[in-house]
Amino acid sequence: MSKTTNLINRELSWLEFNQRVLSEASDASVPLLERLNFLCITASNLDEFFMVRVGGLELLISDGVEKVDNSGMTPREQLDKVLLRSREMVKAQYACFTAGIEPELASAGIRLVSPEAYSEQERNYLEKLFLEEIYPVASPQAVKSVEEFPLVPNLRLNLAVRLEGNDDGKKPLYAVIPLGSSLRRLVRLPADKGCTFTTVENVVRSFIGCYFPGKKVMEISAFRITRNADFNFNDEVSSDFMADMESLVSRRREERCIRLEVEAAASKMLTDFLRKALQVRQESIFELQGPVGLVDFREMLSVDGFNALRYKRWEPQQPADIDSTASMFIEIAKRDILLCHPYDNYEPVVKFIQEAADDPDVLSIKQTLYRTSPSSPIVQALDRAARKGKYVTALVELRARFDEERNISWAKSLEKSGVQVIYGLKGLKTHSKICLVVRREQRGIVRYVHFGTGNYNERTARLYTDISFMTCDDSLGSDASLFFNTITGYSEPQKFLKLHASPIGMKEKLIELIENEAGRSKDGQKAGIMAKMNSLVDPDVIEALYSASKAGVQVKLNVRGICCLRPGMAKLSENVSVVSIVDRFLEHSRIFYFLDGGVEKMFISSADWMPRNLVKRVELMVPVENKACKAKLKMVLESCFKDMAKSSRLKADGAYERLADPKAKGDGFRCQEFLYRSTCQKAEDEAKVQQTVFTPHKSPDLEKK
């Protein structure tokens, strides 16, 4: 077998990940509204996949590139297989919705009705709503020829209307009605019990004559387009980075169409007209057996009640080893703190930065920001700190894909407050998660640092599994200062004491750690690797893992998404196993463990094992040396490999097999449930201990001493 075929194609591997998410939508043991949520996630995922990955393949083909990738396929071959697999997936999505979720929701009291099922009362209600709220907003645009087709927005719902032609009627007339972002996709109807919805396109369809008086409407079809969002931006020659990024965001609205989705009932005449007008290839047209744009049905998830159709809430817990009444500086000074989100509450991280903003002894705050929430309390704290005269530096990565507009807005706002804002580094995305607080104390200047595997986003911290590590370790504090001085100035990269950074050494360190395990195994010593990440793509790292496997090292990998490594192949990777967990929380943490002869080296990181992370981004890999913190991380890793409820095993051919018995009734070990229950138990045990501790009230003067 050639070296190239030792690797799975990354695009096809990603599609298999989305299929695993779709499997959750089809799983009858998952609560019904959660199944709808998983289905909407697969639709949203596929939208982004087409914008970025399919768009990238289209560009390579148009540029005449025929070079094969690491799996041995040309861009054309990849695109053909991607489109074929995508069609299979879309067919499965709509079968899941129309034959499964939709009728089951109706039985549970959440109905989606079509025009032919409207009662007289419902039709009267919708007519009034149409005339008052839709007709004044949505306007048709006549399309006299394909050359005059309007610029329709990316991923927005539209109606294509074919009208009977003038004179002899042989040449039809066309119009487009953009339904835009200001109209809700789902319209709720009055109902005595339960919830009844219809779609906005069906409301317009029912009263289409109001738009075209005196004209005969021959047909109406909903459609949606996907525009390419993958294009090169050379920031090396940018003279005004902010302005160029704003231009890039605007440019996306006009990029070429790479996918057309249209209702299957649309005639060939109408579909051909859209194809020519949008200049999209026939192979890129998806005729859908259901409503266009499944992602919009997320609106159903917000209905009140129906708690039996949702997961039972798992509330984040106050970390058992953190005194919620004490300052975070006092808590971190006692010992290193490691939090596993979302089981551990994210509040201590927010509190740490908010306290830093308000503490008069804090001299400076330096932080990287990649994706934040719309009303981020962390960004607000940085703003407040700057207004209070503290030295605040924020590296706001403007190139965080699809979050560019929000980050541009935050950057401008922070600059007005006096924050030193760095827009990123030329030629590199800054994806590392680090916050450095410098504080004056009686013992001198102390550096407190937060390292994370996830974004500084308190909302996604409730939905993603991530790690927070807070410390005032002198070496890590020194490294943090060096890191910020390097990325904010013109200084040459210096050697860190403990940290490892990309693109200056992290990849080499990872390969060194893997090779060290291989060497120990060859010498007859115990060796082992456990790693958890989102994606494994880098061919050099994979080759090192293959070599370690051939040396007898047991390699256990938990890779949520893309995995290009082929496990279980004789004389190549028979000692490598790969699992993927898809459950109620998105697995997002990166944890790396190397046995190292019993020393047990443990790291957390912002980086996946992909070329883009290890070569094209600024990332950090942080050693965790505290015994209790290491034990907690090891427990997380080991629980991932025990999962028999929500885990799938990767096979050598790139397919996945579910480890759980589909006939079992949830009796298998479930990693996320175990970690949540363990966190709750620790919080409960700590609460009992606190009940037996007598804490006297002291005078304010004594408290200060």
Side-chain angles (χ1 to χ4, degrees):
M1 181 176 285
S2 67
K3 183 177 179 179
T4 54
T5 55
N6 286 345
L7 299 176
I8 298 168
N9 177 262
R10 64 160 291 165
E11 318 303 351
L12 297 177
S13 180
W14 182 89
L15 286 166
E16 290 308 309
F17 159 66
N18 210 39
Q19 182 65 49
R20 295 194 295 282
V21 181
L22 183 56
S23 295
E24 289 297 295
S26 305
D27 188 342
S29 68
V30 175
L32 191 52
L33 284 174
E34 305 296 346
R35 288 170 57 193
L36 175 61
N37 186 39
F38 278 116
L39 179 64
C40 293
I41 289 170
T42 69
S44 175
N45 286 349
L46 202 58
D47 287 345
E48 185 171 332
F49 178 76
F50 266 82
M51 282 190 287
V52 179
R53 303 306 305 180
V54 175
L57 289 173
E58 294 258 15
L59 286 176
L60 290 174
I61 293 168
S62 65
D63 289 343
V65 176
E66 296 184 358
K67 182 181 178 181
V68 299
D69 74 333
N70 289 322
S71 68
M73 287 193 283
T74 65
R76 179 76 257 177
E77 290 170 332
Q78 291 182 69
L79 183 60
D80 289 343
K81 291 194 174 185
V82 162
L83 290 176
L84 178 63
R85 184 67 184 89
S86 296
R87 288 189 185 283
E88 294 172 353
M89 183 172 294
V90 169
K91 184 178 179 181
Q93 285 176 327
Y94 278 88
C96 177
F97 182 73
T98 58
I101 292 175
E102 184 184 356
E104 289 181 48
L105 283 173
S107 298
I110 303 175
R111 298 170 58 238
L112 182 66
V113 294
S114 54
E116 58 270 18
Y118 295 159
S119 66
E120 183 178 354
Q121 180 185 3
E122 288 171 338
R123 187 173 180 83
N124 291 338
Y125 172 83
L126 289 173
E127 183 176 20
K128 184 174 184 294
L129 181 140
F130 171 79
L131 293 173
E132 293 179 355
E133 298 184 23
I134 299 176
Y135 183 76
V137 174
S139 299
Q141 184 169 347
V143 184
K144 296 179 181 179
S145 66
V146 294
E147 292 78 18
E148 297 180 25
F149 199 83
L151 182 69
V152 293
N154 183 45
L155 299 179
R156 296 293 187 192
L157 191 68
N158 306 274
L159 287 178
V161 184
R162 181 167 64 89
L163 303 162
E164 187 176 49
N166 296 325
D167 302 327
D168 59 5
K170 291 183 179 179
K171 186 177 181 181
L173 301 176
Y174 293 97
V176 171
I177 306 176
L179 296 181
S181 58
S182 60
L183 296 173
R184 294 182 68 88
R185 177 67 185 277
L186 297 182
V187 177
R188 188 162 179 175
L189 294 162
D192 294 332
K193 59 180 180 179
C195 292
T196 301
F197 294 96
T198 191
T199 61
V200 67
E201 65 267 30
N202 277 338
V203 176
V204 175
R205 210 186 305 257
S206 299
F207 306 102
I208 193 69
C210 295
Y211 284 117
F212 307 103
K215 293 288 185 182
K216 183 177 180 180
V217 177
M218 306 302 292
E219 69 172 311
I220 311 166
S221 177
F223 75 95
R224 192 177 76 141
I225 71 167
T226 306
R227 295 189 182 277
N228 179 29
D230 185 69
F231 38 81
N232 293 324
F233 172 66
N234 187 1
D235 64 345
E236 297 280 358
V237 297
S238 175
S239 59
D240 187 337
F241 188 46
M242 175 77 79
D244 288 343
M245 285 303 302
E246 290 175 318
S247 175
L248 179 146
V249 172
S250 177
R251 178 181 160 191
R252 278 207 188 117
R253 303 185 182 106
E254 302 177 16
E255 281 297 304
R256 67 181 297 268
C257 173
I258 57 170
R259 179 179 62 164
L260 167 63
E261 297 169 285
V262 64
E263 292 174 339
S267 68
K268 185 177 185 302
M269 180 183 293
L270 182 59
T271 303
D272 282 347
F273 178 78
L274 291 173
R275 176 180 59 80
K276 293 173 184 176
L278 295 164
Q279 298 180 351
V280 62
R281 291 195 296 268
Q282 184 66 42
E283 63 189 13
S284 299
I285 299 175
F286 286 73
E287 297 176 349
L288 307 178
Q289 298 288 343
V292 174
L294 286 176
V295 67
D296 296 337
F297 287 80
R298 274 181 173 157
E299 292 179 24
M300 280 187 172
L301 302 176
S302 61
V303 296
D304 293 331
F306 299 97
N307 290 335
L309 306 183
R310 309 178 199 274
Y311 284 131
K312 185 178 179 181
R313 290 178 68 87
W314 287 358
E315 290 294 339
Q317 300 295 301
Q318 168 63 26
D321 55 350
I322 296 179
D323 182 353
S324 61
T325 65
S327 163
M328 285 304 300
F329 297 115
I330 293 174
E331 292 298 292
I332 298 170
K334 291 178 185 176
R335 70 211 167 281
D336 291 348
I337 294 173
L338 189 133
L339 306 177
C340 295
H341 310 299
Y343 318 108
D344 288 321
N345 203 319
Y346 195 70
E347 180 57 29
V349 179
V350 177
K351 182 181 177 183
F352 168 62
I353 299 168
Q354 289 177 330
E355 283 186 356
D358 298 325
D359 188 332
D361 291 324
V362 166
L363 304 177
S364 71
I365 306 172
K366 299 182 180 183
Q367 185 165 4
T368 58
L369 296 172
Y370 194 75
R371 299 189 195 277
T372 59
S373 62
S375 55
S376 171
I378 289 175
V379 176
Q380 291 171 14
L382 297 179
D383 180 287
R384 189 167 67 251
R387 292 181 186 276
K388 289 187 175 185
K390 300 184 190 303
Y391 191 95
V392 181
T393 300
L395 193 152
V396 182
E397 182 49 74
L398 300 188
R399 289 162 296 185
R401 198 189 303 269
F402 305 125
D403 274 341
E404 296 98 340
E405 288 182 272
R406 179 182 298 165
N407 286 4
I408 288 170
S409 176
W410 278 129
K412 289 180 176 179
S413 174
L414 288 171
E415 281 184 319
K416 290 179 181 177
S417 303
V419 175
Q420 178 192 24
V421 178
I422 309 297
Y423 300 150
L425 301 179
K426 286 190 175 184
L428 298 168
K429 274 189 181 180
T430 303
H431 188 251
S432 50
K433 325 297 182 188
I434 177 174
C435 177
L436 168 65
V437 175
V438 179
R439 190 170 188 258
R440 183 192 296 110
E441 298 181 0
Q442 288 185 349
R443 53 179 169 153
I445 298 297
V446 181
R447 286 174 282 208
Y448 294 85
V449 193
H450 171 273
F451 297 101
T453 64
N455 294 305
Y456 287 104
N457 187 320
E458 77 289 350
R459 294 190 180 183
T460 56
R462 297 178 66 91
L463 304 172
Y464 296 2
T465 72
D466 270 308
I467 302 297
S468 281
F469 180 54
M470 291 183 275
T471 182
C472 58
D473 176 87
D474 288 339
S475 296
L476 288 174
S478 176
D479 281 352
S481 290
L482 181 57
F483 171 79
F484 277 107
N485 290 339
T486 300
I487 64 175
T488 59
Y490 288 100
S491 58
E492 291 291 326
Q494 304 294 311
K495 184 175 177 60
F496 294 115
L497 298 172
K498 290 185 177 181
L499 290 179
H500 303 282
S502 68
I504 48 170
M506 185 195 297
K507 177 176 175 176
E508 291 75 12
K509 182 62 180 180
L510 282 170
I511 292 175
E512 176 190 314
L513 289 164
I514 295 168
E515 290 176 343
N516 179 59
E517 296 302 312
R520 288 184 179 277
S521 183
K522 289 176 182 177
D523 291 341
Q525 301 178 39
K526 290 183 178 180
I529 298 170
M530 292 190 291
K532 180 180 184 298
M533 66 200 76
N534 298 331
S535 299
L536 172 55
V537 176
D538 191 278
D540 298 324
V541 174
I542 292 173
E543 191 61 34
L545 291 170
Y546 284 156
S547 296
S549 173
K550 287 186 279 190
V553 180
Q554 292 296 315
V555 180
K556 295 182 177 181
L557 303 174
N558 176 9
V559 185
R560 184 200 77 212
I562 303 167
C563 183
C564 296
L565 178 148
R566 294 186 186 274
M569 294 181 67
K571 298 182 180 180
L572 180 71
S573 57
E574 54 197 335
N575 291 313
V576 182
S577 61
V578 180
V579 297
S580 171
I581 293 173
V582 177
D583 202 349
R584 63 187 293 169
F585 300 130
L586 180 77
E587 292 291 338
H588 193 256
S589 54
R590 291 92 165 182
I591 309 170
F592 313 142
Y593 167 91
F594 302 90
L595 184 56
D596 194 35
V599 174
E600 296 190 311
K601 290 182 177 177
M602 188 77 75
F603 302 86
I604 64 168
S605 181
S606 58
D608 291 313
W609 291 356
M610 304 178 73
R612 75 178 188 188
N613 298 95
L614 301 177
V615 178
K616 299 178 181 179
R617 290 184 175 183
V618 177
E619 306 271 15
L620 287 174
M621 184 169 75
V622 185
V624 177
E625 298 170 338
N626 176 277
K627 187 175 180 180
C629 294
K630 285 173 66 174
K632 191 171 183 178
L633 288 173
K634 190 175 181 181
M635 179 188 70
V636 172
L637 284 174
E638 290 177 338
S639 65
C640 290
F641 299 115
K642 291 179 183 177
D643 194 295
M644 292 295 289
K646 296 293 183 178
S647 184
S648 298
R649 179 189 293 119
L650 174 61
K651 299 191 292 185
D653 63 358
Y656 284 78
E657 59 180 357
R658 189 73 176 258
L659 292 179
D661 181 355
K663 297 179 181 178
K665 296 184 178 180
D667 296 327
F669 181 88
R670 185 179 176 191
C671 169
Q672 291 190 0
E673 183 175 21
F674 167 76
L675 293 174
Y676 173 69
R677 302 295 178 202
S678 298
T679 305
C680 290
Q681 187 61 55
K682 288 179 182 177
E684 186 178 322
D685 293 344
E686 181 63 22
K688 290 178 180 177
V689 170
Q690 291 301 319
Q691 290 174 1
T692 64
V693 176
F694 299 98
T695 305
H697 286 292
K698 298 180 181 179
S699 72
D701 292 337
L702 288 174
E703 290 283 1
K704 292 177 182 178
K705 292 182 179 180

